Coordinates of all heavy atoms in Angstrom, one line a residue:
M201 N 11.9 -0.3 -11.9 CA 10.6 -0.5 -11.2 C 11.0 -1.3 -9.9 O 11.7 -2.3 -9.9 CB 9.7 -1.3 -12.1 CG 8.3 -1.4 -11.5 SD 7.3 0.1 -11.9 CE 6.8 -0.4 -13.6
E202 N 10.4 -0.8 -8.8 CA 10.5 -1.6 -7.6 C 9.2 -2.1 -7.1 O 8.1 -1.7 -7.6 CB 11.0 -0.6 -6.5 CG 12.4 0.1 -6.8 CD 13.1 0.5 -5.6 OE1 13.4 -0.3 -4.8 OE2 13.3 1.8 -5.6
K203 N 9.3 -3.2 -6.3 CA 8.1 -3.9 -5.9 C 8.2 -4.4 -4.5 O 9.3 -4.8 -4.1 CB 7.8 -5.1 -6.8 CG 6.6 -5.8 -6.6 CD 6.4 -6.9 -7.7 CE 5.1 -7.7 -7.5 NZ 4.9 -8.6 -8.6
H204 N 7.2 -4.2 -3.7 CA 7.2 -4.7 -2.3 C 5.8 -5.1 -1.9 O 4.8 -4.5 -2.2 CB 7.7 -3.5 -1.4 CG 7.9 -4.0 0.0 ND1 9.0 -4.7 0.4 CD2 7.2 -3.7 1.1 CE1 8.9 -4.9 1.7 NE2 7.8 -4.4 2.2
T205 N 5.8 -6.1 -1.0 CA 4.5 -6.5 -0.4 C 4.6 -6.2 1.0 O 5.4 -6.6 1.8 CB 4.3 -8.1 -0.6 OG1 4.3 -8.4 -2.0 CG2 3.1 -8.5 0.1
F206 N 3.6 -5.3 1.4 CA 3.4 -4.9 2.8 C 2.4 -5.8 3.5 O 1.4 -6.1 2.9 CB 2.9 -3.4 2.8 CG 3.8 -2.4 2.2 CD1 3.7 -2.2 0.8 CD2 4.7 -1.7 2.9 CE1 4.5 -1.2 0.2 CE2 5.6 -0.8 2.3 CZ 5.4 -0.5 0.9
I207 N 2.7 -6.1 4.7 CA 1.7 -6.8 5.6 C 1.0 -5.7 6.4 O 1.7 -5.0 7.1 CB 2.4 -7.8 6.5 CG1 3.3 -8.8 5.7 CG2 1.3 -8.6 7.3 CD1 2.6 -9.7 4.7
V208 N -0.3 -5.7 6.3 CA -1.1 -4.6 6.9 C -2.1 -5.3 7.8 O -3.2 -5.6 7.4 CB -1.7 -3.7 5.9 CG1 -2.5 -2.5 6.6 CG2 -0.7 -3.1 4.9
P209 N -1.8 -5.5 9.1 CA -2.7 -6.3 10.0 C -4.1 -5.7 10.1 O -5.1 -6.4 10.4 CB -2.0 -6.2 11.3 CG -0.5 -6.0 11.0 CD -0.6 -5.1 9.8
R210 N -4.3 -4.3 10.0 CA -5.6 -3.7 10.2 C -6.5 -4.0 9.0 O -7.7 -3.6 9.1 CB -5.4 -2.2 10.5 CG -5.0 -1.9 11.9 CD -4.9 -0.4 12.2 NE -6.1 0.3 11.7 CZ -7.2 0.5 12.5 NH1 -7.2 0.0 13.7 NH2 -8.2 1.2 12.0
I211 N -6.1 -4.5 7.9 CA -7.0 -4.8 6.8 C -8.0 -5.9 7.3 O -7.6 -6.9 7.8 CB -6.2 -5.3 5.6 CG1 -5.5 -4.2 4.9 CG2 -7.2 -6.0 4.6 CD1 -4.6 -4.7 3.8
S212 N -9.3 -5.6 7.2 CA -10.3 -6.5 7.6 C -11.2 -7.0 6.5 O -11.9 -8.0 6.6 CB -11.1 -5.9 8.7 OG -11.8 -4.8 8.3
C213 N -11.2 -6.3 5.4 CA -12.1 -6.7 4.3 C -11.7 -6.0 3.0 O -10.7 -5.2 2.9 CB -13.6 -6.3 4.6 SG -13.9 -4.5 4.6
R214 N -12.4 -6.3 1.9 CA -12.0 -5.8 0.6 C -12.2 -4.2 0.5 O -11.6 -3.6 -0.3 CB -12.8 -6.5 -0.5 CG -14.3 -6.3 -0.5 CD -15.0 -7.2 -1.5 NE -16.4 -7.1 -1.3 CZ -17.2 -6.2 -1.9 NH1 -16.6 -5.4 -2.8 NH2 -18.5 -6.2 -1.7
H215 N -13.1 -3.7 1.4 CA -13.2 -2.2 1.4 C -12.0 -1.5 1.9 O -11.6 -0.5 1.4 CB -14.4 -1.8 2.2 CG -15.7 -2.4 1.7 ND1 -16.3 -2.0 0.6 CD2 -16.5 -3.4 2.2 CE1 -17.4 -2.7 0.4 NE2 -17.6 -3.5 1.4
C216 N -11.3 -2.1 2.9 CA -10.0 -1.6 3.3 C -9.0 -1.6 2.2 O -8.4 -0.6 1.9 CB -9.5 -2.5 4.4 SG -10.5 -2.6 5.9
V217 N -9.0 -2.7 1.5 CA -8.1 -2.8 0.3 C -8.4 -1.8 -0.7 O -7.5 -1.1 -1.3 CB -8.1 -4.3 -0.3 CG1 -7.3 -4.3 -1.6 CG2 -7.6 -5.3 0.7
A218 N -9.7 -1.6 -1.0 CA -10.1 -0.6 -2.0 C -9.6 0.8 -1.6 O -9.1 1.6 -2.5 CB -11.6 -0.6 -2.2
S219 N -9.8 1.2 -0.4 CA -9.4 2.6 0.0 C -7.9 2.7 0.0 O -7.4 3.8 -0.3 CB -10.1 3.0 1.3 OG -9.9 2.1 2.3
I220 N -7.2 1.7 0.4 CA -5.7 1.7 0.4 C -5.3 1.9 -1.1 O -4.4 2.7 -1.4 CB -5.1 0.5 1.0 CG1 -5.4 0.5 2.6 CG2 -3.6 0.4 0.7 CD1 -5.0 -0.8 3.3
K221 N -5.9 1.1 -2.0 CA -5.5 1.2 -3.4 C -5.7 2.6 -3.9 O -4.9 3.1 -4.6 CB -6.3 0.2 -4.2 CG -5.8 -1.2 -4.1 CD -6.7 -2.2 -4.8 CE -6.3 -2.4 -6.3 NZ -7.0 -3.5 -6.9
D222 N -6.9 3.2 -3.6 CA -7.2 4.6 -4.0 C -6.1 5.5 -3.6 O -5.6 6.3 -4.4 CB -8.5 5.1 -3.4 CG -9.7 4.7 -4.2 OD1 -9.5 4.0 -5.3 OD2 -10.8 5.0 -3.9
E223 N -5.7 5.5 -2.3 CA -4.7 6.4 -1.8 C -3.3 6.2 -2.3 O -2.6 7.1 -2.7 CB -4.7 6.4 -0.2 CG -6.0 6.9 0.4 CD -6.1 8.4 0.3 OE1 -5.1 9.1 0.2 OE2 -7.3 8.8 0.2
I224 N -2.9 5.0 -2.3 CA -1.5 4.7 -2.7 C -1.4 4.9 -4.2 O -0.3 5.4 -4.7 CB -1.2 3.2 -2.4 CG1 -1.3 2.9 -0.9 CG2 0.2 2.8 -2.9 CD1 -0.3 3.7 0.0
S225 N -2.4 4.7 -5.0 CA -2.4 4.9 -6.4 C -2.2 6.4 -6.7 O -1.7 6.8 -7.8 CB -3.7 4.5 -7.1 OG -3.8 3.1 -7.0
G226 N -2.5 7.3 -5.8 CA -2.4 8.7 -5.9 C -1.0 9.2 -5.7 O -0.7 10.4 -6.0
I227 N -0.1 8.4 -5.2 CA 1.3 8.8 -5.0 C 2.0 8.8 -6.4 O 1.9 7.8 -7.1 CB 2.0 7.8 -4.1 CG1 1.4 7.9 -2.7 CG2 3.5 8.2 -4.0 CD1 2.0 6.8 -1.7
K228 N 2.6 9.9 -6.7 CA 3.3 10.0 -8.0 C 4.4 9.0 -8.2 O 5.2 8.8 -7.3 CB 3.9 11.4 -8.2 CG 4.2 11.8 -9.6 CD 4.6 13.2 -9.8 CE 4.9 13.5 -11.3 NZ 5.5 14.8 -11.5
G229 N 4.4 8.2 -9.3 CA 5.4 7.2 -9.5 C 4.8 5.8 -9.2 O 5.4 4.8 -9.7
V230 N 3.7 5.7 -8.5 CA 3.2 4.3 -8.3 C 2.5 3.8 -9.5 O 1.7 4.5 -10.2 CB 2.1 4.4 -7.1 CG1 1.4 3.1 -7.0 CG2 2.9 4.6 -5.8
R231 N 2.9 2.6 -9.9 CA 2.4 2.0 -11.2 C 1.3 1.0 -11.0 O 0.4 0.8 -11.8 CB 3.5 1.4 -12.0 CG 4.5 2.4 -12.4 CD 4.0 3.3 -13.5 NE 4.9 4.5 -13.8 CZ 4.6 5.7 -13.6 NH1 3.4 6.1 -13.1 NH2 5.4 6.7 -13.9
D232 N 1.3 0.3 -9.9 CA 0.3 -0.8 -9.6 C 0.2 -1.0 -8.1 O 1.2 -1.0 -7.4 CB 0.7 -2.1 -10.3 CG -0.4 -3.1 -10.3 OD1 -1.5 -2.8 -10.9 OD2 -0.2 -4.2 -9.8
V233 N -1.1 -1.2 -7.7 CA -1.3 -1.6 -6.3 C -2.3 -2.8 -6.4 O -3.4 -2.7 -7.0 CB -2.0 -0.5 -5.5 CG1 -2.1 -0.8 -4.1 CG2 -1.2 0.8 -5.7
A234 N -1.9 -3.9 -5.7 CA -2.8 -5.0 -5.6 C -3.0 -5.4 -4.1 O -2.0 -5.2 -3.3 CB -2.2 -6.2 -6.4
G235 N -4.1 -5.9 -3.7 CA -4.3 -6.2 -2.4 C -5.0 -7.6 -2.2 O -5.8 -8.0 -3.0
D236 N -4.7 -8.2 -1.0 CA -5.4 -9.5 -0.7 C -5.9 -9.4 0.7 O -5.1 -9.4 1.7 CB -4.3 -10.6 -0.8 CG -5.0 -12.0 -0.6 OD1 -5.9 -12.0 0.3 OD2 -4.5 -12.9 -1.2
P237 N -7.2 -9.2 0.9 CA -7.8 -9.0 2.2 C -7.6 -10.2 3.1 O -7.4 -10.1 4.3 CB -9.3 -8.8 1.9 CG -9.5 -8.7 0.5 CD -8.2 -9.2 -0.2
G238 N -7.6 -11.4 2.5 CA -7.4 -12.6 3.3 C -6.0 -12.7 3.9 O -5.9 -13.1 5.1
K239 N -5.0 -12.4 3.1 CA -3.6 -12.4 3.6 C -3.2 -11.1 4.3 O -2.1 -11.0 4.8 CB -2.7 -12.7 2.5 CG -2.9 -14.1 1.9 CD -1.9 -14.3 0.7 CE -2.0 -15.7 0.2 NZ -1.1 -15.8 -1.1
K240 N -4.1 -10.1 4.2 CA -3.8 -8.8 4.7 C -2.5 -8.2 4.1 O -1.6 -7.7 4.8 CB -3.7 -8.8 6.3 CG -4.9 -9.3 6.9 CD -4.8 -9.3 8.4 CE -6.0 -10.0 9.1 NZ -7.2 -9.3 9.0
E241 N -2.4 -8.4 2.8 CA -1.2 -7.9 2.0 C -1.6 -6.8 1.0 O -2.7 -6.9 0.4 CB -0.7 -9.1 1.2 CG 0.1 -10.1 2.1 CD 0.6 -11.3 1.2 OE1 0.4 -11.3 0.0 OE2 1.3 -12.1 1.8
I242 N -0.7 -5.9 0.9 CA -0.8 -4.9 -0.2 C 0.6 -4.9 -1.0 O 1.6 -4.8 -0.4 CB -0.9 -3.5 0.4 CG1 -2.3 -3.3 1.1 CG2 -0.9 -2.4 -0.7 CD1 -3.5 -3.4 0.3
T243 N 0.5 -5.2 -2.3 CA 1.7 -5.3 -3.1 C 1.7 -4.0 -4.0 O 0.7 -3.8 -4.7 CB 1.7 -6.6 -3.9 OG1 1.7 -7.7 -3.0 CG2 2.9 -6.6 -4.8
V244 N 2.8 -3.3 -4.0 CA 2.9 -2.1 -4.7 C 4.1 -2.1 -5.7 O 5.2 -2.6 -5.3 CB 3.1 -0.9 -3.8 CG1 3.1 0.5 -4.6 CG2 2.0 -0.9 -2.7
E245 N 3.9 -1.7 -6.9 CA 5.0 -1.5 -7.9 C 5.1 0.0 -8.1 O 4.2 0.7 -8.3 CB 4.7 -2.2 -9.2 CG 4.8 -3.7 -9.1 CD 4.6 -4.3 -10.5 OE1 5.4 -4.0 -11.4 OE2 3.7 -5.2 -10.6
W246 N 6.4 0.5 -8.1 CA 6.6 1.9 -8.2 C 7.9 2.2 -8.9 O 8.8 1.4 -9.0 CB 6.5 2.6 -6.9 CG 7.6 2.4 -6.0 CD1 8.8 3.2 -5.9 CD2 7.8 1.3 -5.0 NE1 9.6 2.7 -5.0 CE2 9.1 1.5 -4.4 CE3 7.0 0.3 -4.7 CZ2 9.6 0.7 -3.4 CZ3 7.5 -0.6 -3.7 CH2 8.8 -0.4 -3.1
E247 N 8.1 3.5 -9.3 CA 9.3 4.0 -9.7 C 9.4 5.4 -9.2 O 8.5 5.9 -8.6 CB 9.5 4.0 -11.3 CG 8.3 4.7 -12.0 CD 8.3 4.3 -13.5 OE1 8.8 3.3 -13.9 OE2 7.8 5.2 -14.2
A248 N 10.6 6.1 -9.3 CA 10.8 7.5 -8.8 C 9.7 8.4 -9.4 O 9.3 8.2 -10.6 CB 12.2 8.0 -9.2
P249 N 9.2 9.4 -8.6 CA 9.7 9.8 -7.4 C 9.1 9.1 -6.1 O 9.4 9.4 -5.0 CB 9.3 11.3 -7.3 CG 8.0 11.3 -8.1 CD 8.2 10.3 -9.2
A250 N 8.3 8.1 -6.3 CA 7.8 7.3 -5.2 C 8.9 6.5 -4.5 O 9.9 6.2 -5.2 CB 6.7 6.3 -5.6
T251 N 8.8 6.3 -3.2 CA 9.8 5.6 -2.5 C 9.1 4.6 -1.5 O 7.9 4.9 -1.2 CB 10.7 6.5 -1.6 OG1 9.9 7.2 -0.6 CG2 11.4 7.5 -2.5
L252 N 9.8 3.6 -1.0 CA 9.2 2.7 0.0 C 8.8 3.5 1.2 O 7.7 3.2 1.8 CB 10.3 1.7 0.3 CG 9.9 0.6 1.3 CD1 8.9 -0.4 0.7 CD2 11.2 -0.1 1.8
E253 N 9.6 4.4 1.6 CA 9.3 5.2 2.8 C 8.0 6.0 2.6 O 7.2 6.2 3.6 CB 10.5 6.2 3.2 CG 11.7 5.4 3.6 CD 12.4 4.6 2.5 OE1 12.3 5.0 1.3 OE2 13.1 3.6 2.8
R254 N 7.9 6.6 1.5 CA 6.7 7.4 1.2 C 5.4 6.6 1.2 O 4.4 7.0 1.8 CB 6.8 8.0 -0.2 CG 5.6 8.9 -0.7 CD 5.6 10.2 0.1 NE 4.4 11.0 -0.2 CZ 3.3 10.8 0.4 NH1 3.2 10.0 1.4 NH2 2.2 11.6 0.1
I255 N 5.5 5.4 0.7 CA 4.3 4.5 0.7 C 4.0 4.0 2.1 O 2.9 4.0 2.6 CB 4.6 3.3 -0.2 CG1 4.7 3.7 -1.7 CG2 3.5 2.2 -0.1 CD1 5.4 2.7 -2.6
R256 N 5.1 3.7 2.9 CA 4.9 3.3 4.2 C 4.3 4.4 5.1 O 3.4 4.2 5.9 CB 6.3 2.9 4.8 CG 6.3 2.2 6.1 CD 7.6 1.7 6.5 NE 8.1 0.5 5.8 CZ 7.7 -0.7 6.2 NH1 6.9 -0.9 7.2 NH2 8.1 -1.7 5.6
M257 N 4.7 5.6 4.8 CA 4.2 6.8 5.5 C 2.7 7.0 5.2 O 1.9 7.3 6.1 CB 5.0 8.0 5.2 CG 4.6 9.3 6.0 SD 5.6 10.7 5.5 CE 7.3 10.0 5.8
M258 N 2.3 6.8 3.9 CA 0.9 7.0 3.5 C 0.1 5.9 4.2 O -1.0 6.3 4.7 CB 0.8 6.9 2.0 CG -0.6 6.9 1.5 SD -1.4 8.5 1.7 CE -0.8 9.3 0.2
L259 N 0.5 4.7 4.3 CA -0.2 3.7 5.0 C -0.4 4.0 6.5 O -1.5 3.9 7.0 CB 0.5 2.3 4.9 CG 0.4 1.7 3.5 CD1 1.4 0.5 3.4 CD2 -1.0 1.2 3.2
K260 N 0.6 4.6 7.1 CA 0.5 5.0 8.5 C -0.5 6.1 8.7 O -1.3 6.1 9.6 CB 1.9 5.4 9.0 CG 2.0 5.5 10.5 CD 3.5 5.7 10.9 CE 3.6 5.8 12.4 NZ 5.0 6.2 12.8
E261 N -0.4 7.1 7.7 CA -1.4 8.2 7.8 C -2.8 7.8 7.6 O -3.7 8.4 8.2 CB -1.0 9.3 6.7 CG 0.2 10.1 7.0 CD 0.7 10.9 5.8 OE1 0.0 10.9 4.7 OE2 1.7 11.6 5.9
M262 N -3.0 6.7 6.9 CA -4.4 6.2 6.7 C -4.8 5.4 7.8 O -5.9 4.8 7.8 CB -4.4 5.3 5.4 CG -4.2 6.0 4.1 SD -4.4 4.8 2.8 CE -6.2 4.5 2.9
N263 N -4.0 5.2 8.8 CA -4.3 4.3 9.9 C -4.3 2.8 9.5 O -5.1 2.0 10.1 CB -5.6 4.7 10.7 CG -5.6 4.3 12.1 OD1 -4.5 4.1 12.7 ND2 -6.8 4.2 12.7
Y264 N -3.5 2.5 8.5 CA -3.3 1.1 8.1 C -1.8 0.9 8.1 O -1.2 0.6 7.1 CB -3.9 0.8 6.8 CG -5.4 0.7 6.7 CD1 -6.1 1.7 6.1 CD2 -6.0 -0.4 7.2 CE1 -7.5 1.6 6.0 CE2 -7.4 -0.5 7.2 CZ -8.1 0.5 6.6 OH -9.5 0.4 6.5
P265 N -1.2 1.0 9.3 CA 0.3 0.8 9.3 C 0.8 -0.6 8.9 O 0.1 -1.5 9.2 CB 0.7 1.1 10.8 CG -0.6 0.9 11.6 CD -1.7 1.2 10.7
A266 N 1.8 -0.6 8.1 CA 2.4 -1.9 7.7 C 3.4 -2.4 8.8 O 4.0 -1.6 9.5 CB 3.2 -1.6 6.4
E267 N 3.5 -3.7 8.9 CA 4.4 -4.3 9.8 C 5.9 -4.0 9.4 O 6.2 -3.9 8.2 CB 4.2 -5.8 9.9 CG 3.1 -6.2 10.8 CD 3.0 -7.7 10.9 OE1 3.6 -8.4 10.1 OE2 2.2 -8.1 11.7
Ligands
CU527 CU1 -12.4 -3.2 5.5

């Protein structure tokens, strides 16, 4: 299992976190997604076939690019 916390500056509220959680949870291999609107953080736990690059790409596609 891998885990990473992404800093996503465009997060402005809990609705942003909810839509990010919905999309990232849909990636095969993702086991958990947690978000903190105050800190603008998204923490993801995953295993194969998900990858860090895939998650980062999905955030970018959603217009919530990670730093
Ligand atoms: Cu929002």
Side-chain angles (χ1 to χ4, degrees):
M201 192 83 80
E202 300 202 60
K203 185 175 181 176
H204 185 75
T205 298
F206 300 89
I207 307 296
V208 183
R210 281 181 50 84
I211 289 177
S212 59
C213 70
R214 64 192 173 85
H215 299 290
C216 300
V217 170
S219 50
I220 290 170
K221 282 175 86 167
D222 273 359
E223 291 292 327
I224 301 296
S225 298
I227 298 173
K228 198 173 180 192
V230 169
R231 294 292 172 243
D232 190 59
V233 186
D236 185 327
K239 294 181 176 171
K240 303 180 187 294
E241 286 180 355
I242 296 289
T243 300
V244 186
E245 287 186 56
W246 73 91
E247 56 193 24
T251 63
L252 182 71
E253 292 69 29
R254 179 75 187 86
I255 296 163
R256 193 175 279 281
M257 187 180 303
M258 175 69 85
L259 288 168
K260 196 173 178 184
E261 284 170 4
M262 294 183 70
N263 206 20
Y264 285 109
E267 275 182 352

